[in-house]
Amino acid sequence: MQNQDYNKLKGLAKYINQLIDTGKWTALGENRQNTLRNALNKLAARVQRFVAKRKLTRVLGAAVMLLSVNASAQSFADPVEGAFGLAGVSYLTKPEFVDIDGDGDLDFFQTNYDAEGFLFQENIGTAEEPDFSELEINPFGLSPAAGLLMPVFGDLDNDGDFDILASTYEEGGALYFENTGTATDPAFGAGVAIPFGITAGYIIMDDLVDIDDDGDLDLFVSKYDDVTSEGKVFFLENTGTPEAAAFASGVVDAFGMTFSGADYFTFVDFADFDDDGDYDFMRTDMYGKIVYYHENVGEADAPDFDAGSGLISPFDIDALTGGDQYFFALSLADIDADGDFDLFISEYSSEGTYFYENRTIVVSIPDAIEWNDEIALFPNPAVDNITIQTALTSEAIQSIRIITIDGREVYQNTQLVNTISVADFETGIYLLEVTNNEGQQMMLKFIKE
């Protein structure tokens, strides 16, 4: 079946590429385009489970631009324990990834039940090929005075570096560790108990995320209901400012995050999983064997999550089947810098962290949201020339490049040129890349007929 799907995909991709190369793709009706696109996505979703990304990208060619980036098209590899040298510790731990030293790759933090404090492993590899150092306890001057669980990271005072909130296991509540250093040279002050108006109580930190797109970080925490033995997730809105956080009382089932039957604690982690501009979330339950996915069907500033349990064991993520194996907490992170979110889950009894690689091929054109100047090109599709329309001057431009879908550079200039000849280009899909003097990039896609 695998070879059959792979051969079908090769044949379909070849056919679509012929249509693109001859200019016939744009002449197809919308219904026919959608039929071919959907068939390509279904085959790619099946094939990417057993074919390497680079090989699959080569097979697809220009047709890769038709792949969906939504949740249904995503796929995960089988779990690997202790990937990249990640250390396992005692069972109540949540993996947490953050570029704490500002060197462009993700480092690793966790805490453990034995109250030794913060456990840190620096990424001494690269963003694309991570490799974690030996375990270090309480780096950067951290010195917690209480047993800790579940650290979460965010810039809570808007000074450009990561601060820490952590749950206190015995006392109940939270500790705040301000980063008094810098983004590249962190240093943390003493922990401040029950900060930002957070009510004392037996809570576990889940995530700091700007869920309502108002410019400040909100907080999600897990609580245990000792009457029903269920885990509840509470939303604590940041009613302060980006510079001075202040959290409101917790609201359960916010934004339609309604799910029941979770044993003891349920843990959530947010990410824009389907690349539509808002935050979705995944969750696991303490003593659970299943991963759940909840898509945000609302907007960035008005989140709305499907009611119910969400997708169970989504994207080929296998549920644990061993009698003494249980998921604990999870974390979403693009650990290999390939544009999609990978999954890490700590396991209750094995003292290990499992890595599920996201095998999805992500084809996206980055938006230059920091630019004040707009760039447009026409005509699109193009035959002989493309014209660049912008208010930018040559002095503001570092480079202009045109590259093929497989990364080959076919044009380069350090000056702003308003009209570029593409008459000698092969038919297909190209990317126009404009880089300004601050290193920011704008990329626009066009088709050469």
Side-chain angles (χ1 to χ4, degrees), residues 103-107 122-133:
D103 62 353
D105 54 41
L106 293 175
D107 308 298
E122 182 186 357
N123 188 347
I124 55 177
T126 64
E128 296 79 12
E129 297 182 359
D131 179 24
F132 291 93
S133 65

Side-chain angles (χ1 to χ4, degrees), residues 289-310:
K289 293 175 178 284
I290 298 173
V291 177
Y292 303 87
Y293 168 71
H294 296 255
E295 181 185 355
N296 188 346
V297 296
E299 304 293 338
D301 58 353
D304 180 19
F305 296 95
D306 281 336
S309 59

Side-chain angles (χ1 to χ4, degrees), residues 110-281:
Q110 56 185 329
T111 57
N112 72 344
Y113 177 72
D114 297 327
E116 293 179 349
F118 292 94
L119 306 178
F120 171 69
Q121 288 181 267
E122 182 186 357
N123 188 347
I124 55 177
T126 64
E128 296 79 12
E129 297 182 359
D131 179 24
F132 291 93
S133 65
E134 294 295 321
L135 198 68
E136 182 180 353
I137 300 175
N138 290 329
F140 313 120
L142 287 164
S143 182
L148 298 173
L149 283 176
M150 307 300 204
V152 291
F153 294 78
D155 187 1
L156 286 164
D157 49 11
N158 202 30
D159 63 351
D161 53 39
F162 287 103
D163 310 298
I164 303 175
L165 275 179
S167 312
T168 52
Y169 182 72
E170 298 295 341
E171 291 82 358
L175 282 174
Y176 168 59
F177 297 86
E178 181 186 357
N179 189 343
T180 57
T182 66
T184 56
D185 187 18
F188 291 91
V192 177
I194 317 299
F196 310 120
I198 299 173
T199 304
Y202 194 68
I203 60 174
I204 289 181
M205 301 295 166
D206 276 324
D207 209 354
L208 277 168
V209 61
D210 185 7
I211 193 65
D212 49 9
D213 198 33
D214 63 352
D216 53 40
L217 293 174
D218 307 297
L219 178 63
F220 287 84
V221 302
S222 292
K223 289 186 178 182
Y224 168 66
D225 188 326
D226 57 5
V227 175
T228 65
S229 296
E230 289 184 349
K232 300 289 187 181
V233 173
F234 287 77
F235 164 60
L236 282 65
E237 182 182 2
N238 190 344
T239 57
T241 66
E243 294 76 22
F247 295 107
S249 299
V251 176
V252 71
D253 297 337
F255 314 117
M257 293 174 63
T258 53
F259 38 86
S260 60
D263 289 334
Y264 294 97
F265 286 100
T266 189
F267 307 109
V268 302
D269 201 54
F270 290 84
D272 185 4
F273 202 74
D274 52 5
D275 199 32
D276 64 350
D278 54 39
Y279 284 102
D280 316 292
F281 73 89

